[in-house]
Amino acid sequence: MSIFEPSEGTLVVVPSLSLPQDELRRITAARSYEERLLFLLLTLREPGVKVVYLSSAPVDPDIVDYYFAFLPDPDDAAKRLTLISLDDPWSQPLTRTLLDRPDAVERVRAAIDGDAWLVPFVLSELEEELASLLNVPLYGPATSLSYYGSKSGAREVGHEAGVPMARGFGDVRSELQIEEALEALPGERVIVKLNDAYSGLGNAIVTKADRSLTNFSAAGETWENYLRKIRDRGAVVEEFIEHRPLYYPSALAQITPGGQARVLATHDQVLGGPNGHVYQGCTFPAAPEYRAEVGQSAARIADILAERGVIGLFGMDFFALKADAGYAALLCEINLRIGGTTHPFGAALLTTGATYDPATGHLMSGDQPKFYTATDNCASGCLRGRTPGEVMRTADRLGIGFDAERSTGNVFHLLGAIPEHGKLGFTSIGNSREEADELHALTRRLLCGP
């Protein structure tokens, strides 16, 4: 079972952001991130597949039509798609609101036909309760295994897999433990990461000599408030890698319900924010200098997680740096959920029909490798107030849409964030690294300005 290539059955997509809400509120147009999984509408190219897609607010019909335009028979696909909106965009997370609405749960149940899987963005106890009510299996790791997706759990799995990591300490929950870690670790600075944070928003770079110089990823954070989060949620303290240049590759992996683990892709992450730790986008594949090492380390980690009973999609983040004998890749964290590289990979896979070659780390469409550059953060004031349909028509007129004959071009997402926030995302697919990067830069200039 792969959500990218189902041959039949119903995908019940629940893109609920069932995550710590304090960090989530800092993301512009966070509610629209429910739309990142709309690439799964492309699975409707298979006549035996149905999709039930939930959302807090209605999905603009132009957005649905945009994805249907990639399909060979949009009219037939429309018959096999059920969109269920709770019409409550401000009540988060989505799954909690759904569970408070028995009528909506019944609508979901009525839309399920035959074999089905519940596909959550992230799996929490809320999604487990929903799956139980619907009597539908989950495509994701049980919450009893969630520790392995924490920053502390990642260090434990990394040690067992024999994967290199930065020196550090896990399961830190007090100021005294932080002080002990500061004393034990080398260098003038360390990085502290909340166990369950995401997109780098729970990170802090701490200067040993002066706490007032602490650099938080989340704007407006204070040391006192951060300590409360550490006590409640736990953290890791690791050496801050001063080596430059430093690269940030990641790996996307899948474990089937039958326990088969495989690496699907490697990426280089594009990071930004106040301390350069907040996810902005990615490029595929990861650079050749460290691509193989990242893939091999990811495979060892995936095998261990499969033995523990994890299923579904998950990501692993690394640091890569040049060493005396080549490049070294250090495990940074494991994210047991659908992450920021999943929708670009899914969009590229489903629009080009390519397959991943683990030997080279390339997506191959016949003999042609495919490359892409993706972002979640294209924003411009000139986009605000426009409709998704208007922007997509503009993209086609400018020649930056998708060319079905060459299987290159842009696949857009986060379109629902355009009217209010002037924000969207896109994946630029090319037949070379240069072509993908040039298209991406051109698209940014045309839609987002300099």
Side-chain angles (χ1 to χ4, degrees):
M1 167 65 183
S2 168
I3 64 168
F4 298 115
E5 302 162 303
S7 58
E8 60 182 2
T10 303
L11 300 181
V12 183
V13 184
V14 185
S16 177
L17 304 176
S18 301
L19 296 160
Q21 298 294 295
D22 53 346
E23 280 96 10
L24 194 64
R25 283 189 288 268
R26 303 177 192 272
I27 298 176
T28 301
R31 202 274 308 158
S32 294
Y33 278 63
E34 292 177 1
E35 295 182 7
R36 289 201 297 186
L37 297 190
L38 282 172
F39 77 87
L40 289 172
L41 271 58
L42 302 180
T43 64
L44 292 167
R45 68 177 62 251
E46 293 292 334
V49 172
K50 297 183 178 181
V51 173
V52 179
Y53 200 100
L54 283 83
S55 60
S56 298
V59 178
D60 189 312
D62 282 346
I63 299 176
V64 177
D65 289 343
Y66 169 72
Y67 286 100
F68 278 174
F70 288 94
L71 303 179
D73 190 343
D75 291 337
D76 182 62
K79 297 174 184 176
R80 292 179 280 112
L81 171 66
T82 302
L83 296 171
I84 297 177
S85 168
L86 301 184
D87 295 314
D88 192 357
W90 310 117
S91 181
Q92 295 292 328
L94 166 64
T95 309
R96 177 179 294 150
T97 307
L98 176 63
L99 290 171
D100 289 337
R101 296 267 302 276
D103 60 317
V105 173
E106 188 55 41
R107 287 175 61 199
V108 177
R109 183 182 289 111
I112 296 172
D113 184 15
D115 291 338
W117 288 88
L118 195 150
V119 182
F121 170 72
V122 60
L123 203 159
S124 72
E125 292 177 353
L126 298 171
E127 286 71 39
E128 287 184 326
E129 182 179 349
L130 176 61
S132 178
L133 284 173
L134 297 173
N135 194 28
V136 171
L138 276 159
Y139 190 77
T143 56
S144 59
L145 303 171
S146 62
Y147 174 74
Y148 301 120
S150 71
K151 306 300 185 292
S152 297
R155 293 192 62 84
E156 179 180 312
V157 174
H159 280 301
E160 185 172 341
V163 172
M165 292 180 289
R167 288 169 287 188
F169 300 89
D171 293 316
V172 171
R173 290 188 176 271
S174 70
E175 191 166 13
L176 175 60
Q177 287 177 303
I178 292 175
E179 294 296 335
E180 291 172 344
L182 293 178
E183 287 292 324
L185 292 172
E188 297 302 316
R189 297 188 290 177
V190 300
I191 183 168
V192 184
K193 298 183 285 188
L194 296 175
N195 264 342
D196 59 353
Y198 49 91
S199 296
L201 288 170
N203 295 358
I205 299 172
V206 180
T207 300
K208 292 182 178 182
D210 189 349
R211 295 292 185 280
S212 67
L213 298 177
T214 297
N215 188 349
F216 296 101
S217 288
E221 186 64 275
T222 66
W223 182 248
E224 291 74 20
N225 189 55
Y226 194 67
L227 280 177
R228 284 194 291 270
K229 293 179 182 179
I230 290 173
R231 286 191 288 268
D232 291 341
R233 295 153 57 180
V236 299
V237 183
E238 297 175 343
E239 63 176 319
F240 183 79
I241 300 176
E242 304 281 1
H243 189 286
R244 295 295 181 275
L246 187 63
Y247 306 96
Y248 305 93
S250 69
L252 178 64
Q254 171 185 268
I255 302 174
T256 69
Q260 293 179 320
R262 65 185 177 119
V263 175
L264 298 178
T266 63
H267 295 87
D268 274 313
Q269 298 180 92
V270 178
L271 305 180
N275 61 16
H277 291 171
V278 179
Y279 179 82
Q280 304 287 309
C282 65
T283 62
F284 171 92
E289 291 84 356
Y290 44 77
R291 184 190 308 159
E293 183 175 353
V294 169
Q296 291 162 8
S297 293
R300 294 202 297 272
I301 292 168
D303 285 341
I304 288 175
L305 292 176
E307 292 173 1
R308 304 281 172 91
V310 169
I311 66 170
L313 293 165
F314 60 98
M316 293 154 276
D317 295 342
F318 294 82
F319 298 119
L321 51 91
K322 196 173 189 315
D324 292 338
Y327 279 79
L330 309 179
L331 176 66
C332 177
E333 61 186 54
I334 299 171
N335 297 304
L336 285 186
R337 55 177 171 80
I338 290 176
T341 62
T342 307
H343 53 283
F345 174 76
L349 191 78
L350 291 167
T351 56
T352 66
T355 56
Y356 182 68
D357 178 8
T360 63
H362 283 132
L363 269 179
M364 300 299 298
S365 179
D367 295 331
Q368 174 63 60
K370 295 293 180 179
F371 300 78
Y372 58 81
T373 303
T375 182
D376 284 339
N377 290 276
C378 173
S380 172
C382 68
L383 292 176
R384 192 175 293 115
R386 301 183 67 185
T387 69
E390 288 174 338
V391 175
M392 290 303 93
R393 288 189 289 273
T394 298
D396 286 339
R397 178 172 52 81
L398 294 172
I400 54 174
F402 188 79
D403 184 338
E405 289 188 12
R406 295 187 71 242
S407 292
T408 60
N410 283 309
V411 182
F412 293 92
H413 62 274
L414 282 181
L415 299 174
I418 293 173
E420 182 178 355
H421 302 281
K423 178 179 177 179
L424 78 162
F426 55 93
T427 301
S428 305
I429 304 168
N431 288 332
S432 67
R433 171 80 278 138
E434 293 75 20
E435 182 180 10
D437 286 344
E438 287 172 7
L439 173 62
H440 196 77
L442 173 64
T443 305
R444 276 192 175 276
R445 288 198 303 272
L446 293 176
L447 294 184
C448 309

